[in-house]
Coordinates of all heavy atoms in Angstrom, one line a residue:
M113 N -67.1 -41.4 -48.9 CA -65.6 -41.4 -48.8 C -65.1 -42.8 -48.5 O -65.0 -43.2 -47.4 CB -65.1 -40.5 -47.7 CG -65.3 -39.1 -48.0 SD -63.9 -38.2 -47.7 CE -64.6 -36.5 -47.6
S114 N -64.8 -43.6 -49.5 CA -64.1 -44.9 -49.3 C -63.1 -45.1 -50.2 O -63.3 -45.5 -51.3 CB -65.2 -45.9 -49.3 OG -65.7 -46.1 -50.6
H115 N -61.9 -44.8 -49.8 CA -60.7 -45.2 -50.6 C -59.9 -46.2 -49.9 O -59.0 -45.9 -49.2 CB -59.9 -44.0 -51.1 CG -59.9 -42.9 -50.1 ND1 -60.7 -41.9 -50.1 CD2 -59.0 -42.8 -49.1 CE1 -60.3 -41.1 -49.1 NE2 -59.3 -41.6 -48.4
G116 N -60.2 -47.5 -50.1 CA -59.4 -48.6 -49.7 C -58.9 -48.5 -48.2 O -57.7 -48.3 -47.9
D117 N -59.8 -48.8 -47.3 CA -59.4 -49.0 -46.0 C -58.7 -50.3 -45.9 O -59.2 -51.3 -46.3 CB -60.6 -49.1 -45.1 CG -61.2 -47.7 -44.8 OD1 -60.4 -46.7 -45.1 OD2 -62.3 -47.6 -44.4
G118 N -57.5 -50.3 -45.3 CA -56.7 -51.6 -45.2 C -57.2 -52.4 -44.0 O -58.1 -52.0 -43.3
D119 N -56.6 -53.6 -43.9 CA -57.0 -54.4 -42.8 C -56.7 -53.8 -41.5 O -57.4 -54.1 -40.5 CB -56.3 -55.7 -42.9 CG -56.8 -56.6 -44.0 OD1 -58.1 -56.6 -44.1 OD2 -56.1 -57.4 -44.6
H120 N -55.8 -52.9 -41.4 CA -55.4 -52.3 -40.1 C -56.5 -51.5 -39.6 O -56.5 -51.2 -38.4 CB -54.1 -51.5 -40.3 CG -54.2 -50.6 -41.4 ND1 -53.9 -50.9 -42.8 CD2 -54.6 -49.3 -41.5 CE1 -54.0 -49.8 -43.5 NE2 -54.5 -48.8 -42.8
E121 N -57.4 -51.1 -40.4 CA -58.6 -50.3 -40.0 C -59.6 -51.1 -39.2 O -60.5 -50.6 -38.7 CB -59.2 -49.6 -41.1 CG -58.3 -48.6 -41.9 CD -58.0 -47.4 -41.0 OE1 -58.7 -47.3 -39.9 OE2 -57.1 -46.7 -41.3
R122 N -59.4 -52.4 -39.2 CA -60.3 -53.3 -38.5 C -60.0 -53.5 -37.1 O -60.7 -54.3 -36.4 CB -60.4 -54.6 -39.3 CG -60.9 -54.5 -40.6 CD -61.1 -55.8 -41.3 NE -61.3 -55.7 -42.7 CZ -61.6 -56.8 -43.5 NH1 -61.6 -57.9 -42.9 NH2 -61.8 -56.6 -44.7
F123 N -59.0 -52.9 -36.6 CA -58.7 -53.1 -35.2 C -58.8 -51.8 -34.4 O -58.7 -50.7 -35.1 CB -57.2 -53.5 -35.1 CG -57.0 -54.9 -35.5 CD1 -56.2 -55.2 -36.6 CD2 -57.6 -55.9 -34.8 CE1 -56.0 -56.5 -37.0 CE2 -57.4 -57.3 -35.2 CZ -56.6 -57.6 -36.2
A124 N -59.1 -51.9 -33.3 CA -59.2 -50.7 -32.4 C -57.8 -50.6 -31.7 O -57.5 -51.5 -30.9 CB -60.3 -50.9 -31.3
H125 N -57.1 -49.6 -31.9 CA -55.8 -49.5 -31.3 C -55.8 -48.6 -30.1 O -56.7 -47.7 -29.9 CB -54.8 -48.8 -32.3 CG -54.7 -49.5 -33.6 ND1 -53.7 -50.5 -33.7 CD2 -55.4 -49.5 -34.7 CE1 -53.8 -51.0 -35.0 NE2 -54.8 -50.4 -35.6
Y126 N -54.9 -48.9 -29.2 CA -54.8 -48.1 -28.0 C -54.1 -46.8 -28.3 O -53.0 -46.8 -28.8 CB -54.1 -48.9 -26.9 CG -54.9 -49.9 -26.2 CD1 -54.5 -51.2 -26.2 CD2 -56.1 -49.5 -25.5 CE1 -55.3 -52.2 -25.6 CE2 -56.8 -50.5 -24.9 CZ -56.5 -51.8 -24.9 OH -57.2 -52.7 -24.3
V127 N -54.7 -45.7 -27.9 CA -54.0 -44.4 -28.0 C -54.3 -43.6 -26.8 O -55.3 -43.8 -26.1 CB -54.6 -43.6 -29.3 CG1 -53.9 -42.3 -29.4 CG2 -54.5 -44.5 -30.5
Q128 N -53.4 -42.8 -26.4 CA -53.6 -42.0 -25.3 C -54.8 -41.1 -25.5 O -55.0 -40.5 -26.6 CB -52.4 -41.0 -25.1 CG -51.2 -41.7 -24.5 CD -50.0 -40.8 -24.4 OE1 -50.2 -39.6 -24.1 NE2 -48.8 -41.3 -24.7
K129 N -55.6 -41.0 -24.5 CA -56.9 -40.4 -24.6 C -56.8 -38.9 -25.0 O -57.6 -38.4 -25.8 CB -57.7 -40.5 -23.3 CG -59.2 -40.3 -23.5 CD -60.0 -41.0 -22.5 CE -61.4 -41.2 -22.9 NZ -62.2 -42.0 -22.1
D130 N -55.9 -38.2 -24.4 CA -55.8 -36.8 -24.7 C -55.4 -36.6 -26.2 O -55.7 -35.6 -26.8 CB -54.8 -36.1 -23.8 CG -53.5 -36.8 -23.7 OD1 -53.4 -38.0 -24.0 OD2 -52.5 -36.1 -23.4
K131 N -54.7 -37.5 -26.7 CA -54.3 -37.5 -28.1 C -55.5 -37.6 -29.0 O -55.7 -37.0 -30.0 CB -53.3 -38.6 -28.5 CG -52.0 -38.4 -27.7 CD -50.8 -38.2 -28.7 CE -49.6 -37.7 -27.9 NZ -48.8 -38.9 -27.6
I132 N -56.4 -38.5 -28.6 CA -57.6 -38.7 -29.4 C -58.5 -37.5 -29.3 O -59.0 -37.1 -30.4 CB -58.4 -39.9 -28.8 CG1 -57.6 -41.2 -29.2 CG2 -59.8 -40.0 -29.4 CD1 -58.5 -42.4 -29.2
M133 N -58.5 -36.9 -28.2 CA -59.3 -35.7 -28.1 C -58.8 -34.6 -29.0 O -59.5 -33.9 -29.7 CB -59.3 -35.1 -26.7 CG -59.7 -36.2 -25.6 SD -61.4 -36.1 -25.2 CE -61.4 -34.8 -24.0
A134 N -57.4 -34.4 -29.0 CA -56.8 -33.4 -29.8 C -57.0 -33.7 -31.3 O -57.3 -32.8 -32.1 CB -55.3 -33.4 -29.5
S135 N -57.0 -35.0 -31.6 CA -57.2 -35.4 -33.0 C -58.6 -35.1 -33.4 O -58.9 -34.6 -34.5 CB -56.9 -36.9 -33.2 OG -57.2 -37.3 -34.5
A136 N -59.5 -35.3 -32.5 CA -60.9 -35.1 -32.8 C -61.1 -33.6 -33.1 O -62.0 -33.2 -33.9 CB -61.8 -35.5 -31.7
L137 N -60.4 -32.8 -32.5 CA -60.5 -31.3 -32.7 C -59.9 -30.8 -34.0 O -60.5 -30.1 -34.7 CB -59.8 -30.6 -31.5 CG -60.6 -30.7 -30.1 CD1 -59.8 -30.0 -29.1 CD2 -62.0 -30.1 -30.3
D138 N -58.7 -31.2 -34.2 CA -58.1 -30.7 -35.4 C -57.7 -31.7 -36.5 O -57.1 -31.3 -37.5 CB -56.8 -29.9 -35.0 CG -55.9 -30.7 -34.2 OD1 -55.9 -31.9 -34.2 OD2 -55.0 -30.1 -33.5
G139 N -58.0 -32.9 -36.3 CA -57.9 -33.9 -37.4 C -56.5 -34.4 -37.6 O -56.1 -35.0 -38.6
T140 N -55.6 -34.2 -36.6 CA -54.3 -34.7 -36.8 C -54.2 -36.1 -36.4 O -55.0 -36.6 -35.6 CB -53.3 -33.9 -35.8 OG1 -53.8 -34.1 -34.4 CG2 -53.2 -32.5 -36.1
P141 N -53.3 -36.9 -37.1 CA -53.2 -38.3 -36.9 C -52.7 -38.6 -35.4 O -52.0 -37.7 -34.9 CB -52.1 -38.7 -37.9 CG -52.0 -37.7 -38.9 CD -52.4 -36.4 -38.1
V142 N -53.0 -39.8 -34.9 CA -52.5 -40.2 -33.6 C -51.6 -41.4 -33.8 O -51.7 -42.1 -34.8 CB -53.6 -40.5 -32.7 CG1 -54.5 -39.3 -32.4 CG2 -54.5 -41.6 -33.3
V143 N -50.8 -41.7 -32.8 CA -49.9 -42.8 -32.9 C -50.3 -43.8 -31.8 O -50.4 -43.5 -30.6 CB -48.5 -42.4 -32.6 CG1 -47.5 -43.6 -32.7 CG2 -48.0 -41.3 -33.6
A144 N -50.7 -45.0 -32.3 CA -51.1 -46.0 -31.3 C -49.9 -46.6 -30.6 O -48.8 -46.4 -31.0 CB -51.9 -47.1 -32.1
L145 N -50.2 -47.4 -29.6 CA -49.1 -48.1 -28.9 C -48.3 -48.9 -29.8 O -47.1 -49.0 -29.6 CB -49.7 -49.0 -27.7 CG -50.3 -48.2 -26.6 CD1 -50.8 -49.2 -25.6 CD2 -49.3 -47.2 -25.9
C146 N -48.9 -49.6 -30.7 CA -48.2 -50.5 -31.7 C -47.4 -49.7 -32.7 O -46.7 -50.3 -33.5 CB -49.1 -51.5 -32.3 SG -50.3 -50.7 -33.4
G147 N -47.6 -48.4 -32.7 CA -46.9 -47.6 -33.7 C -47.6 -47.2 -34.9 O -47.2 -46.4 -35.7
K148 N -48.9 -47.7 -35.0 CA -49.7 -47.3 -36.1 C -50.1 -45.8 -36.0 O -50.5 -45.4 -35.0 CB -51.0 -48.2 -36.2 CG -51.9 -47.7 -37.2 CD -53.0 -48.6 -37.5 CE -54.0 -47.9 -38.4 NZ -53.4 -47.4 -39.6
V149 N -50.0 -45.2 -37.1 CA -50.4 -43.8 -37.2 C -51.7 -43.7 -38.1 O -51.7 -44.2 -39.2 CB -49.3 -42.9 -37.8 CG1 -49.8 -41.5 -37.8 CG2 -48.0 -43.0 -37.0
W150 N -52.7 -43.1 -37.5 CA -53.9 -42.9 -38.3 C -54.8 -41.9 -37.7 O -54.5 -41.4 -36.5 CB -54.7 -44.2 -38.5 CG -55.7 -44.5 -37.4 CD1 -57.0 -44.6 -37.6 CD2 -55.4 -44.9 -36.0 NE1 -57.6 -44.9 -36.3 CE2 -56.6 -45.1 -35.4 CE3 -54.3 -45.0 -35.3 CZ2 -56.7 -45.4 -34.1 CZ3 -54.3 -45.2 -33.9 CH2 -55.6 -45.5 -33.3
V151 N -55.8 -41.5 -38.4 CA -56.7 -40.5 -37.9 C -57.9 -41.2 -37.4 O -58.6 -41.8 -38.3 CB -57.1 -39.5 -38.9 CG1 -58.1 -38.5 -38.4 CG2 -55.9 -38.7 -39.4
P152 N -58.2 -41.2 -36.1 CA -59.3 -42.0 -35.6 C -60.6 -41.2 -36.0 O -60.5 -40.0 -36.3 CB -59.2 -41.9 -34.1 CG -58.3 -40.8 -33.9 CD -57.4 -40.6 -35.1
G153 N -61.7 -41.9 -36.1 CA -62.9 -41.1 -36.5 C -64.1 -42.0 -36.3 O -65.1 -41.6 -35.8
R154 N -63.9 -43.3 -36.7 CA -65.1 -44.1 -36.5 C -65.1 -44.8 -35.1 O -64.1 -44.7 -34.4 CB -65.0 -45.2 -37.6 CG -65.6 -44.7 -38.9 CD -65.3 -45.6 -40.0 NE -63.9 -45.4 -40.4 CZ -63.3 -46.1 -41.3 NH1 -63.9 -47.0 -41.9 NH2 -62.1 -45.9 -41.7
D155 N -66.2 -45.3 -34.8 CA -66.4 -45.9 -33.5 C -65.5 -47.1 -33.3 O -65.7 -48.1 -33.9 CB -67.8 -46.3 -33.3 CG -68.2 -46.7 -31.9 OD1 -67.2 -46.8 -31.1 OD2 -69.3 -47.0 -31.7
P156 N -64.5 -46.9 -32.4 CA -63.5 -48.1 -32.2 C -64.2 -49.3 -31.6 O -63.6 -50.3 -31.6 CB -62.5 -47.4 -31.4 CG -63.1 -46.3 -30.6 CD -64.2 -45.8 -31.6
K157 N -65.3 -49.0 -31.0 CA -65.9 -50.2 -30.2 C -66.4 -51.3 -31.2 O -66.7 -52.4 -30.8 CB -67.1 -49.7 -29.4 CG -66.7 -48.8 -28.3 CD -67.9 -48.5 -27.4 CE -67.5 -47.4 -26.4 NZ -67.6 -46.0 -27.1
K158 N -66.5 -50.9 -32.4 CA -66.9 -51.9 -33.5 C -65.9 -52.9 -33.8 O -66.1 -53.9 -34.4 CB -67.4 -51.2 -34.7 CG -68.6 -50.4 -34.6 CD -69.2 -50.0 -36.0 CE -68.2 -49.0 -36.6 NZ -68.9 -48.4 -37.8
Y159 N -64.7 -52.6 -33.4 CA -63.6 -53.4 -33.8 C -62.9 -54.1 -32.7 O -63.0 -53.7 -31.5 CB -62.5 -52.5 -34.5 CG -63.0 -51.7 -35.6 CD1 -63.4 -50.4 -35.4 CD2 -63.2 -52.3 -36.9 CE1 -63.9 -49.6 -36.5 CE2 -63.7 -51.5 -37.9 CZ -64.1 -50.2 -37.7 OH -64.6 -49.5 -38.7
P160 N -62.3 -55.3 -33.0 CA -61.6 -56.0 -32.0 C -60.3 -55.2 -31.6 O -59.8 -54.5 -32.5 CB -61.2 -57.3 -32.6 CG -61.2 -57.0 -34.1 CD -62.3 -56.0 -34.3
V161 N -59.8 -55.4 -30.4 CA -58.6 -54.7 -30.0 C -57.4 -55.2 -30.7 O -57.3 -56.4 -30.9 CB -58.4 -54.8 -28.5 CG1 -57.1 -54.2 -28.1 CG2 -59.5 -54.1 -27.7
C162 N -56.6 -54.3 -31.2 CA -55.4 -54.6 -31.9 C -54.6 -55.5 -30.9 O -54.2 -55.0 -29.8 CB -54.6 -53.4 -32.3 SG -53.0 -53.6 -32.8
P163 N -54.2 -56.7 -31.3 CA -53.4 -57.6 -30.5 C -52.1 -57.1 -30.0 O -51.7 -57.3 -28.9 CB -53.3 -58.9 -31.3 CG -53.7 -58.6 -32.7 CD -54.5 -57.3 -32.7
M164 N -51.5 -56.3 -30.9 CA -50.2 -55.8 -30.6 C -50.3 -54.7 -29.6 O -49.5 -54.6 -28.6 CB -49.5 -55.2 -31.8 CG -48.0 -55.3 -31.8 SD -47.2 -54.6 -33.3 CE -47.9 -55.7 -34.5
C165 N -51.3 -53.8 -29.8 CA -51.6 -52.7 -28.8 C -51.8 -53.3 -27.4 O -51.4 -52.9 -26.4 CB -52.7 -51.9 -29.2 SG -52.3 -50.6 -30.4
K166 N -52.7 -54.4 -27.4 CA -53.1 -55.0 -26.2 C -51.9 -55.6 -25.4 O -51.8 -55.5 -24.2 CB -54.1 -56.1 -26.4 CG -54.6 -56.7 -25.2 CD -55.8 -57.6 -25.4 CE -56.5 -58.0 -24.2 NZ -55.7 -57.9 -22.9
E167 N -51.0 -56.2 -26.2 CA -49.8 -56.8 -25.6 C -49.0 -55.7 -24.9 O -48.5 -55.9 -23.8 CB -49.0 -57.5 -26.7 CG -48.1 -58.5 -26.0 CD -47.5 -59.4 -27.1 OE1 -48.2 -59.9 -28.0 OE2 -46.2 -59.5 -27.1
I168 N -48.8 -54.7 -25.6 CA -48.0 -53.6 -25.1 C -48.7 -52.9 -23.9 O -48.0 -52.7 -22.9 CB -47.8 -52.5 -26.2 CG1 -46.9 -53.1 -27.3 CG2 -47.1 -51.3 -25.6 CD1 -46.9 -52.2 -28.6
Y169 N -50.0 -52.8 -24.0 CA -50.7 -52.2 -22.9 C -50.6 -53.0 -21.7 O -50.4 -52.5 -20.6 CB -52.2 -52.0 -23.4 CG -53.1 -51.4 -22.4 CD1 -53.1 -50.0 -22.2 CD2 -53.8 -52.2 -21.5 CE1 -53.9 -49.4 -21.3 CE2 -54.7 -51.6 -20.6 CZ -54.7 -50.2 -20.5 OH -55.5 -49.6 -19.5
D170 N -50.8 -54.3 -21.9 CA -50.7 -55.3 -20.7 C -49.4 -55.3 -20.1 O -49.2 -55.3 -18.9 CB -51.1 -56.7 -21.2 CG -52.6 -56.8 -21.4 OD1 -53.4 -56.0 -21.0 OD2 -52.9 -57.9 -22.0
S171 N -48.3 -55.2 -20.9 CA -47.0 -55.2 -20.4 C -46.6 -53.9 -19.6 O -45.7 -53.9 -18.9 CB -46.0 -55.4 -21.5 OG -45.9 -54.2 -22.3
M172 N -47.4 -52.9 -19.9 CA -47.2 -51.7 -19.1 C -47.7 -51.8 -17.7 O -47.4 -51.0 -16.8 CB -47.9 -50.5 -19.8 CG -47.2 -50.2 -21.2 SD -47.8 -48.7 -21.9 CE -49.4 -48.5 -21.3
G173 N -48.5 -52.8 -17.5 CA -49.0 -53.1 -16.2 C -50.0 -52.1 -15.7 O -50.4 -51.2 -16.4
P174 N -50.4 -52.2 -14.4 CA -51.4 -51.3 -13.8 C -50.6 -50.0 -13.6 O -49.5 -49.8 -14.0 CB -51.7 -51.9 -12.5 CG -50.6 -52.8 -12.2 CD -50.0 -53.2 -13.5
G175 N -51.3 -49.0 -13.0 CA -50.6 -47.7 -12.8 C -51.2 -46.7 -13.9 O -50.9 -45.6 -13.8
G176 N -52.0 -47.3 -14.7 CA -52.6 -46.4 -15.7 C -53.7 -45.7 -14.8 O -53.9 -46.0 -13.7
D177 N -54.5 -44.9 -15.5 CA -55.6 -44.3 -14.7 C -56.8 -45.2 -14.6 O -57.2 -45.8 -15.6 CB -56.0 -43.0 -15.4 CG -56.1 -43.1 -16.9 OD1 -55.1 -43.2 -17.5 OD2 -57.3 -43.2 -17.4
K178 N -57.3 -45.4 -13.4 CA -58.4 -46.2 -13.1 C -58.6 -47.5 -13.9 O -59.7 -47.7 -14.5 CB -59.7 -45.3 -13.3 CG -59.9 -44.8 -14.7 CD -61.0 -43.8 -14.8 CE -61.0 -43.2 -16.2 NZ -61.9 -42.1 -16.3
G179 N -57.6 -48.2 -14.0 CA -57.6 -49.4 -14.8 C -57.7 -50.7 -14.0 O -57.3 -51.7 -14.4
K180 N -58.4 -50.6 -12.8 CA -58.4 -51.9 -12.0 C -59.7 -52.7 -12.2 O -60.7 -52.3 -11.7 CB -58.3 -51.5 -10.6 CG -56.9 -50.8 -10.3 CD -56.6 -50.7 -8.8 CE -55.2 -50.1 -8.7 NZ -54.9 -49.8 -7.3
G181 N -59.5 -53.7 -13.0 CA -60.7 -54.6 -13.2 C -61.7 -54.0 -14.1 O -62.7 -54.7 -14.3
D182 N -61.4 -52.9 -14.6 CA -62.4 -52.3 -15.5 C -61.9 -52.4 -16.9 O -61.0 -51.7 -17.3 CB -62.7 -50.9 -15.1 CG -63.7 -50.2 -16.0 OD1 -64.4 -50.9 -16.7 OD2 -63.8 -49.0 -15.9
K183 N -62.4 -53.2 -17.6 CA -61.8 -53.5 -19.0 C -62.4 -52.6 -20.1 O -61.9 -52.7 -21.2 CB -62.0 -54.9 -19.3 CG -61.0 -55.8 -18.7 CD -60.9 -57.1 -19.4 CE -59.7 -57.9 -18.9 NZ -59.7 -59.2 -19.4
D184 N -63.5 -52.0 -19.9 CA -63.9 -51.3 -21.1 C -63.1 -50.0 -21.3 O -62.5 -49.5 -20.4 CB -65.5 -51.0 -21.0 CG -65.8 -50.0 -19.9 OD1 -65.4 -48.9 -20.0 OD2 -66.5 -50.4 -19.0
K185 N -63.1 -49.5 -22.5 CA -62.3 -48.4 -22.9 C -60.8 -48.8 -23.0 O -60.2 -48.8 -22.0 CB -62.4 -47.2 -22.0 CG -63.8 -46.7 -21.9 CD -63.8 -45.4 -21.3 CE -65.3 -45.0 -21.3 NZ -65.7 -44.0 -20.4
Ligands
ZN14 ZN1 -52.4 -51.3 -32.6

């Protein structure tokens, strides 16, 4: 199955984790912080973090879950 993955597929976007879980279950698309809508499926660790998502994520500051000094995920 390869029908034209765009460049946007080369980034790992930030998405709420529960959304990803739901998507994994029923295949519904998720909405990333940057507004991108897609169906996750491949290993996001292979891709660099979407710069726009990162900026938004950083601007949200701490207060997320267990995000102190731990950068993975
Ligand atoms: Zn993004």
Side-chain angles (χ1 to χ4, degrees):
M113 292 228 196
S114 64
H115 36 264
D117 285 343
D119 282 326
H120 51 276
E121 295 294 347
R122 297 189 191 180
F123 288 115
H125 299 270
Y126 282 120
V127 182
Q128 288 175 34
K129 198 153 197 173
D130 53 335
K131 295 244 171 94
I132 289 203
M133 307 266 279
S135 174
L137 289 177
D138 54 24
T140 56
V142 295
V143 183
L145 290 182
C146 67
K148 174 171 169 53
V149 180
W150 89 112
V151 178
R154 279 167 281 176
D155 189 355
K157 296 189 190 76
K158 291 194 290 194
Y159 305 97
V161 171
C162 168
M164 210 182 299
C165 277
K166 185 169 189 338
E167 197 169 313
I168 295 169
Y169 182 82
D170 285 347
S171 73
M172 295 190 328
D177 44 286
K178 59 189 172 188
K180 299 192 175 171
D182 180 13
K183 277 200 174 170
D184 69 65
K185 299 191 178 160

